[in-house]
Amino acid sequence: MQLPIYIDGTEEGTLTVERQGTMTVMRADLRDVGRVVRLSVYGEKAGYLGVPEPEQGRLRLTRRFTNLDMLRFPQRIEYAADRPLEGRPVPPGPEKTPENEEPKRHVLWMGGKPYYF
């Protein structure tokens, strides 16, 4: 199942949710928005996924959950976002070009964790 990922109310990528044996795998793939994004899934309640990491010019995150872990998430996931949506989402924005591209961010890895500035 593929679901939209909204950042600041704009659709920026997709969340793929699939079953692999006894595990549920969630893969997020979204445009690099130039800042740290903390993704959650939303439905009748919210469930925290994590922080996607930069990979080949995109932000990506893969998480595997057991059936017991999935109890923390909504039964029916509607979308993923950095915060709950208010009203209707805005359609996807224009692709970044070198003329309108945001400045590159810096990533410092310390202790196996990324620090963005």
Side-chain angles (χ1 to χ4, degrees):
M1 160 176 43
Q2 288 197 330
L3 303 165
I5 296 176
Y6 297 105
I7 305 298
D8 298 327
T10 304
E11 187 175 337
E12 299 290 355
T14 58
L15 175 71
T16 305
V17 181
E18 57 187 18
R19 298 278 305 181
Q20 289 183 351
T22 61
M23 304 290 281
T24 299
V25 180
M26 294 188 194
R27 288 186 178 91
D29 180 32
L30 62 147
R31 183 179 69 82
D32 189 347
V33 294
R35 65 177 175 86
V36 176
V37 176
R38 290 173 177 81
L39 281 182
S40 296
V41 292
Y42 295 92
E44 67 274 5
K45 61 181 180 178
Y48 180 69
L49 279 181
V51 177
E53 295 180 6
E55 182 182 313
Q56 299 175 355
R58 310 260 314 154
L59 294 177
R60 294 196 171 104
L61 172 72
T62 300
R63 297 285 309 267
R64 290 172 175 76
F65 300 100
T66 64
N67 290 337
L68 188 59
D69 291 333
M70 287 303 292
L71 295 176
R72 296 180 294 158
F73 293 97
Q75 290 286 12
R76 187 168 164 258
I77 299 172
E78 297 174 12
Y79 63 92
D82 57 341
R83 67 178 137 262
L85 292 178
E86 295 177 10
R88 283 183 75 174
V90 178
E95 287 295 318
K96 295 286 183 184
T97 61
E99 297 84 39
N100 68 1
E101 190 171 326
E102 297 174 10
K104 297 289 184 195
R105 68 168 178 241
H106 300 281
V107 180
L108 175 65
W109 287 85
M110 289 177 46
K113 295 182 181 178
Y115 294 90
Y116 301 92
F117 57 96

